[in-house]
Amino acid sequence: IGTAVPTKEELQAVKHHFIQHKSIFDPYSVGDFEKEALILIDTLFNEKDILLMAGGSGLYIDAVIEGLDVFPSVRKAIRAQLNLELQDHGLPLLYQRLQELDPEYAKIVDPKNPHRVVRALEVCTASGKPYSTFLNKRKKPRTFKTILIGLEAPRTVVYERINARVDHMMEEGLLEEARRLKEHAHLNALQTVGYKELFNYLDGHYSLDEAIAEIKKNTRRFAKRQGTWFRKNSEILWFPYDLPFNSILKEISNRIKPTI
C-alpha cells in the first residue's frame, strides 16, 4: 500500500515489469536498476518496437536513458564516519553540512533521505568538490531512442490529489501495513514517505492525525522536488494533465514515425 502498487486490474490490462520483484530485505541500488532495466529492454525490443517506461524517480529514469554519472571512490572510513555522525547527531545536521558544501544539490535532494544525503557528503569529503559537479558529465550510448512525456497540472490539483491519495491509502490499511513492518523500520526500503511518519506514530511521537498530516506534507514536498528535477530537462514534452489522450498520442506518433 505504501508504495502504491498497481491494482490487479491495472496489472492485467498491460504487462508490467519490476513490480514487487524485490523483498524489502534485498539491497537494491539505482545502479542495480540500470543494469537490470537495460537487459530487460534489450529482450523486449526483440518483440516490440515501442516500450513505455513510467516514473517515478528522476534519478532512476535518467539512469536508464542516459546512464549513471561517474563518481570518485570513497574510502570506507569516510562512509563509516558519516554513518556514525548520522546515528549520533541526526540527519538535519548532515543536511545542513551538505547545504554548505553543495547548495545546488541540497536544493533538489530529499533532506529526509539519509542514503542520498550521506552519499553526497561522501563524495564531497572524498573529492573536495561539490557532489553536483560530478552530475551530468557523461552520456552513455544507448541502443534505443527516447521520447520524454510529462503531464502537468496546477499545483492546487496536484495537492488535492495527493491529499486524496493519502486518505485512500489509509482507508486501504496503510497503518496496519506499517504496524506489520515496524520491526524492520531500519531497512533502507522503508525510509520512505508514508512509512516513516506512521512509525513515528507507533513510537508515540505523533498522534495519528499528526502522522497523516505529515505524510501529506512530505508527499507535497517530494512532488515539488520532482517538478524541480524534471523542469531542468528541456527535452521533456509537457502536456496538460486533462488534455484528451488522442491529442497526446498524435504528437507522440508524429515524433515516432521517422524512427521506425
Side-chain angles (χ1 to χ4, degrees), residues 110-121:
D110 181 354
K112 293 191 175 183
N113 187 319
H115 176 75
R116 297 276 173 84
V117 173
V118 169
R119 174 57 180 156
L121 284 175

Side-chain angles (χ1 to χ4, degrees), residues 13-55:
V14 63
K15 177 66 175 178
H16 288 66
H17 302 275
F18 296 152
I19 299 295
Q20 291 189 305
H21 72 304
K22 294 291 181 181
S23 162
I24 61 171
F25 302 106
D26 295 331
Y28 197 63
S29 68
V30 64
D32 296 326
F33 177 73
E34 178 191 14
K35 294 174 184 175
E36 293 187 9
L38 291 177
I39 292 173
L40 175 63
I41 287 171
D42 283 343
T43 300
L44 294 177
F45 269 133
N46 289 326
E47 309 166 5
K48 307 288 184 180
D49 292 323
I50 301 170
L51 308 178
L52 298 180
M53 180 170 68

Side-chain angles (χ1 to χ4, degrees), residues 59-78:
L59 177 62
Y60 280 68
I61 293 173
D62 288 352
V64 172
I65 64 177
E66 297 180 357
L68 292 173
D69 296 294
V70 178
F71 296 97
S73 59
V74 176
R75 299 196 311 275
K76 291 182 179 180
I78 294 176

Side-chain angles (χ1 to χ4, degrees), residues 185-198:
H186 63 283
L187 294 175
N188 187 58
L190 297 175
Q191 304 302 309
T192 55
V193 176
Y195 294 120
K196 291 190 296 184
E197 294 82 1
L198 290 179

Side-chain angles (χ1 to χ4, degrees), residues 194-249:
Y195 294 120
K196 291 190 296 184
E197 294 82 1
L198 290 179
F199 292 154
N200 278 326
Y201 158 69
L202 294 171
D203 284 335
H205 301 307
Y206 293 146
S207 69
L208 183 57
D209 286 343
E210 288 172 335
I212 294 172
E214 283 294 303
I215 296 174
K216 292 177 179 178
K217 180 184 71 176
N218 291 331
T219 304
R220 291 193 297 268
R221 288 177 173 174
F222 178 71
K224 185 177 180 180
R225 288 192 298 273
Q226 280 186 310
T228 299
W229 181 294
F230 288 122
R231 277 192 293 273
K232 289 184 177 181
N233 190 335
S234 60
E235 295 182 7
I236 295 178
L237 302 175
W238 290 101
F239 297 98
Y241 80 104
D242 54 357
L243 188 69
F245 171 72
N246 285 338
S247 298
I248 300 176
L249 183 61

Side-chain angles (χ1 to χ4, degrees), residues 45 48-50 145 147 252-260:
F45 269 133
K48 307 288 184 180
D49 292 323
I50 301 170
K145 295 183 179 180
I147 297 175
I252 297 172
S253 299
N254 289 336
R255 292 174 178 266
I256 289 178
K257 286 177 181 177
T259 67
I260 296 179

Side-chain angles (χ1 to χ4, degrees), residues 102-130:
D102 191 350
E104 181 178 343
Y105 185 69
K107 291 178 182 178
I108 61 174
V109 72
D110 181 354
K112 293 191 175 183
N113 187 319
H115 176 75
R116 297 276 173 84
V117 173
V118 169
R119 174 57 180 156
L121 284 175
E122 288 176 2
V123 174
C124 291
T125 303
S127 67
K129 300 178 181 178

